[in-house]
Amino acid sequence: MTAPTHVALELDDIQRGVLSPRPTPYAATYILFRIDDRAHGRELMRRVRAAVTSAADTVNPLGETWVSVALTFHGLKALGVPPQALETFAWEFRQGMAARATALGDVGESGPEHWEAPLGTSDVHVVLVAVAPDSARLEAAVDRARPAYHRLSGVTAIWRQNCHALPTEAEPFGYRDGISHPAVEGSGFAGSNPLAPPLKAGEFVLGYPDELGGVQTPQPDILGRNGTYVAFRKLHQRVAAFRQYLRDNSTGPEDEELLAAKLMGRWRSGAPLALSPSCDDPGLGADPRRNNAFLYERDDPAGFVTPGGCHIRRGNPRDAAVAGEPRLHRMIRRGTAYGPPLPEGVLEDDGADRGLMFTFIGAHLGRQFEFVQSEWMNDGVFFGAAGTRDPIVGANDGSGDFTVPRRPLRRRLRALPRFVVTRGGEYCFMPGLNALSWLGDLKD
């Protein structure tokens, strides 16, 4: 079947957290709940429906503030969703993130046996996320949502993670984050790369044609339509170890920053190597009209400017043939820092827990999130370097290396350690607003 050239999304039924760019700066919190009483769980769905903002509602008395809610497979079961409906959800979602650990590279110290409780267990049923421009408005958003679960003895809050984004938009390793996001047909939100046409809505929202012309919708239609899949991951970042590795493998401060840029594909400011190959350009890095407007294959097929194995080129090969036509592996990615920043220049670990709460949003867990994790982040066969891993977030174990193409001799970094450790995560389904009402009205 051929997908239409334009689709009108039902924005009033899609949760705002699916498509809306986050404010800058912002604060966020993730709260997990366990449902012990089915009736109270359904009441939670009815109440939270009033707190969740739709993608059509961009005017809020609290400013750029909203609340989103998602459920795990165990959560849908706890609400009493019929088995025949549960079987229509993606099989990766039904298995859960912990069961998919090997495919995702969550092994060794990142394995589920080491995850922070209760992440990855059957106790996690509901995930509530609140986003706001600052901590004060974030707490106001949480207060607005609190009546949804207050005095429901059969619903228990079991975990919370507060997050923040600095005015510099830097993540714990010091790079500007949140730069790249795709344009979604019918969403009304522009993508960050003016050279890339919008992707079909069905790549991100269930119930619409995707890049292949297919339509994925869990059943019944009122439950699946206008929903999406979400992967939440708590990723601990070893900032001191990362800084020390840069120091040990560089000839001086300037070379250290160049090496950091080659590993990421961007300078710390967010300026891409593709547009500023020899030195950082903070003005370019801070300009959302320019800092993502580039391609690879057209101008740098061999990776002499932006190495093929660097983080951003692995995560989004852009116009490379491996990226696929149609473009099947793009995803909406959001990251929010947590924990105190490590002071500048410190090379010793202070023992604090810091890192990123990573969020994937997409309609295809398998060919989007899992494919990118297994084939692009944890293998390099797609660009001719089989067995290599992403130097920043890959499942490195000290035996891998990273190559910087250059003339006359390439530069090779050896013994890459693991800089990012998975502390836990969940696969979730983020329903449309009508689906929240449907879940609240379920009967035994």
Side-chain angles (χ1 to χ4, degrees):
M1 135 179 149
T2 301
T5 57
H6 179 75
V7 170
L9 287 172
E10 296 166 355
L11 296 175
D12 59 346
D13 191 37
I14 299 170
Q15 293 196 45
R16 185 173 176 185
V18 175
L19 299 171
S20 182
R22 292 180 173 182
T24 301
Y26 68 91
T29 193
Y30 294 76
I31 307 175
L32 307 187
F33 297 89
R34 184 185 67 243
I35 298 171
D36 298 310
D37 180 276
R38 181 170 292 178
H40 285 190
R42 292 170 179 173
E43 177 63 22
L44 173 65
M45 295 296 104
R46 289 193 290 270
R47 292 183 184 182
V48 82
R49 166 66 179 80
V52 172
T53 307
S54 80
D57 182 9
T58 57
V59 179
N60 189 307
L62 295 174
E64 291 292 309
T65 302
W66 62 85
V67 172
S68 300
V69 66
L71 298 103
T72 65
F73 184 67
H74 292 292
L76 293 176
K77 288 172 66 177
L79 290 176
V81 174
Q84 61 270 29
L86 293 173
E87 291 171 3
T88 65
F89 283 84
W91 67 272
E92 299 92 347
F93 168 70
R94 285 181 276 145
Q95 282 197 319
M97 187 180 290
R100 305 293 300 151
T102 301
L104 297 174
D106 291 333
V107 296
E109 57 189 326
S110 284
E113 65 273 20
H114 302 300
W115 286 5
E116 185 176 318
L119 298 173
T121 73
S122 59
D123 282 345
V124 180
H125 295 159
V126 179
V127 180
L128 185 145
V129 184
V131 175
D134 52 54
S135 296
R137 279 178 281 189
L138 177 66
E139 287 308 311
V142 174
D143 288 343
R144 181 168 172 250
R146 188 166 283 115
Y149 56 89
H150 186 57
R151 295 183 179 176
L152 286 177
S153 59
V155 176
T156 305
I158 57 175
W159 187 84
R160 179 171 178 174
Q161 180 67 62
N162 291 331
C163 308
H164 59 271
L166 300 173
T168 59
E169 301 180 64
E171 49 73 57
F173 288 143
Y175 298 91
R176 182 183 291 272
D177 198 20
I179 292 173
S180 181
H181 57 91
V184 182
E185 191 176 79
S187 70
F189 297 108
S192 58
N193 187 350
L195 304 176
L199 287 147
K200 296 298 182 185
E203 290 296 308
F204 306 102
V205 185
L206 295 162
Y208 299 87
D210 60 21
E211 288 286 318
L212 289 173
V215 177
Q216 308 295 320
T217 317
Q219 296 299 306
D221 193 70
I222 191 173
L223 173 61
R225 185 171 178 81
N226 293 318
T228 191
Y229 292 111
V230 180
F232 296 106
R233 287 164 73 77
K234 182 175 181 179
L235 303 175
H236 171 71
Q237 294 179 240
R238 291 173 166 162
V239 178
F242 182 69
R243 291 177 181 175
Q244 187 66 59
Y245 187 84
L246 293 176
R247 181 73 56 87
D248 292 344
N249 288 277
S250 59
T251 58
E254 288 187 6
D255 187 50
E256 187 174 327
E257 286 307 300
L258 176 61
L259 177 58
K262 290 292 184 178
L263 292 171
M264 177 62 70
R266 292 184 186 273
W267 300 91
R268 309 267 195 175
S269 73
L273 284 169
L275 300 179
S276 185
S278 58
C279 63
D280 198 356
D281 183 345
L284 169 62
D287 188 345
R289 297 167 301 177
R290 298 188 294 141
N291 62 15
N292 205 41
F294 60 90
L295 301 172
Y296 295 126
E297 290 301 299
R298 185 186 67 184
D299 304 317
D300 183 30
F304 283 105
V305 176
T306 308
C310 75
H311 177 67
I312 69 166
R313 194 159 180 170
R314 283 176 176 267
N316 178 15
R318 299 183 184 241
D319 56 330
V322 71
E325 276 300 336
R327 300 154 294 161
L328 304 181
H329 311 300
R330 291 291 283 122
M331 56 187 184
I332 294 174
R333 173 209 172 276
R334 299 195 180 111
T336 314
Y338 72 85
L342 187 67
E344 285 295 323
V346 174
L347 300 178
E348 296 288 332
D349 183 34
D350 61 0
D353 186 20
R354 60 176 58 86
L356 205 70
M357 282 296 290
F358 168 92
T359 303
F360 151 84
I361 295 172
H364 304 276
L365 278 170
R367 68 169 168 84
Q368 291 173 320
F369 175 65
E370 290 204 352
F371 181 92
V372 170
Q373 280 291 117
S374 63
E375 303 301 321
W376 289 353
M377 293 297 169
N378 286 316
D379 198 346
V381 69
F382 75 98
F383 68 97
T388 65
R389 300 183 177 98
D390 185 290
I392 305 289
V393 303
N396 293 295
D397 57 8
S399 63
D401 54 33
F402 176 78
T403 299
V404 180
R406 65 178 182 180
R407 296 184 178 95
L409 296 174
R410 65 187 177 183
R411 181 179 189 179
R412 177 164 288 177
L413 305 175
R414 299 187 182 277
L416 277 168
R418 175 168 276 207
F419 297 121
V420 176
V421 179
T422 305
R423 294 291 195 217
E426 298 289 343
Y427 281 162
C428 298
F429 169 64
M430 187 172 285
L433 276 68
N434 289 331
L436 288 173
S437 299
W438 184 86
L439 290 166
D441 292 337
L442 282 170
K443 307 295 181 185
D444 290 327

